[in-house]
Amino acid sequence: MSANVSTDRSGSPAVDPVQRRRARRMLVLLFVVCAAPAVAAYLMYFVFKPQGGTSAYGKLIEPQRPLPALVVHDDETGENLPLSSLKGKWLMISADTATCDENCVSKLFYMRQIRVLQGNERTRVETLWLVTDASKVSQQIDDAYPDTRRLRADPVALASWLPTQDGTGLRDHIYLVDPLGNLMMAFPKNADPGKIKSDLSRLLKWSGTG
């Protein structure tokens, strides 16, 4: 004896409304579970303000700016990839020319040291140098920052994604992207590396993502 199966007008089996609602609730729950750690970090850091109400040093980017689909070139591997494929870790980003003047070197040095000082949490952080031209990077700089990923990127496209502050340009800032791929912070020109470290340390503490 065969079971009765209801069908819609096209002859396909009809979907049980209860099952449809259950599936929809499950999708929402999965999204909430995935996003919860990053959301908690935002709330704890910017709303509840831990450590006696200490405010963030970096400027919070609002509204959120997700990693763009901009195609970049990886100098080490020679591959082209969308910048948006890099989400999953906390990204500290510097955008600068290949000639890398004193300010550029300072940013690379600060990013490297800030990452190292995170201790066991440093594996959750990746440092990126977005090179904005096609010139050759000196061997000295290349040797000094082997753990900084170097990607060639279109400066015009970067300018439409990375914000600047009054009287500054892309080359003046260090930026922070969260593991969900959202541009989260821009640090000021001539930033205090100790304060950047404090911001990042608190975010790593309050977030389980990345």
Side-chain angles (χ1 to χ4, degrees):
M1 180 176 180
S2 60
N4 291 326
V5 178
S6 61
T7 60
D8 59 20
R9 293 181 180 179
S10 65
S12 302
V15 178
D16 186 339
V18 174
Q19 291 181 338
R20 185 186 297 113
R21 288 194 296 270
R22 186 178 296 130
R24 187 179 297 115
R25 285 197 298 269
M26 184 61 68
L27 288 174
V28 172
L29 180 60
L30 286 173
F31 173 80
V32 170
V33 168
C34 293
V39 172
Y42 278 99
L43 290 175
M44 293 302 296
Y45 195 68
F46 295 108
V47 179
F48 299 111
K49 295 184 179 179
Q51 297 192 3
T54 301
S55 60
Y57 175 60
K59 181 179 180 182
L60 180 64
I61 306 302
E62 296 179 308
Q64 291 180 341
R65 299 187 182 193
L67 282 166
L70 165 68
V71 174
V72 294
H73 179 80
D74 190 317
D75 271 3
E76 183 176 359
T77 65
E79 69 174 326
N80 294 322
L81 66 156
L83 193 61
S84 57
S85 67
L86 301 181
K87 64 183 179 180
K89 287 190 174 185
W90 293 91
L91 306 176
M92 269 193 299
I93 296 176
S94 170
D96 220 305
T97 59
T99 52
C100 200
D101 60 15
E102 183 178 353
N103 178 62
C104 169
V105 171
S106 293
K107 289 187 296 173
L108 295 179
F109 176 76
Y110 290 156
M111 291 196 305
R112 182 183 67 186
Q113 296 306 108
I114 291 165
R115 179 180 179 274
V116 169
L117 290 173
Q118 301 304 322
N120 292 335
E121 298 295 302
R122 67 183 180 276
T123 57
R124 299 170 61 193
V125 181
E126 185 170 11
T127 53
L128 297 181
W129 176 10
L130 300 181
V131 184
T132 57
D133 60 19
S135 299
K136 182 177 176 59
V137 174
S138 74
Q139 192 63 48
Q140 182 179 6
I141 293 177
D142 194 25
D143 292 341
Y145 301 99
D147 294 329
T148 296
R149 191 169 183 181
R150 194 168 70 236
L151 304 171
R152 303 275 175 168
D154 177 11
V156 176
L158 285 181
S160 67
W161 176 55
L162 297 173
T164 58
Q165 299 168 14
D166 291 342
T168 68
L170 290 180
R171 299 175 61 192
D172 294 317
H173 301 282
I174 291 174
Y175 298 92
L176 185 65
V177 173
D178 71 24
L180 298 179
N182 295 310
L183 181 61
M184 184 178 186
M185 276 184 170
F187 295 99
K189 182 178 180 178
N190 301 321
D192 181 334
K195 293 182 178 180
I196 298 177
K197 174 190 172 295
S198 295
D199 274 2
L200 181 57
S201 294
R202 288 197 289 269
L203 286 167
L204 290 173
K205 176 182 178 181
W206 291 109
S207 171
T209 58

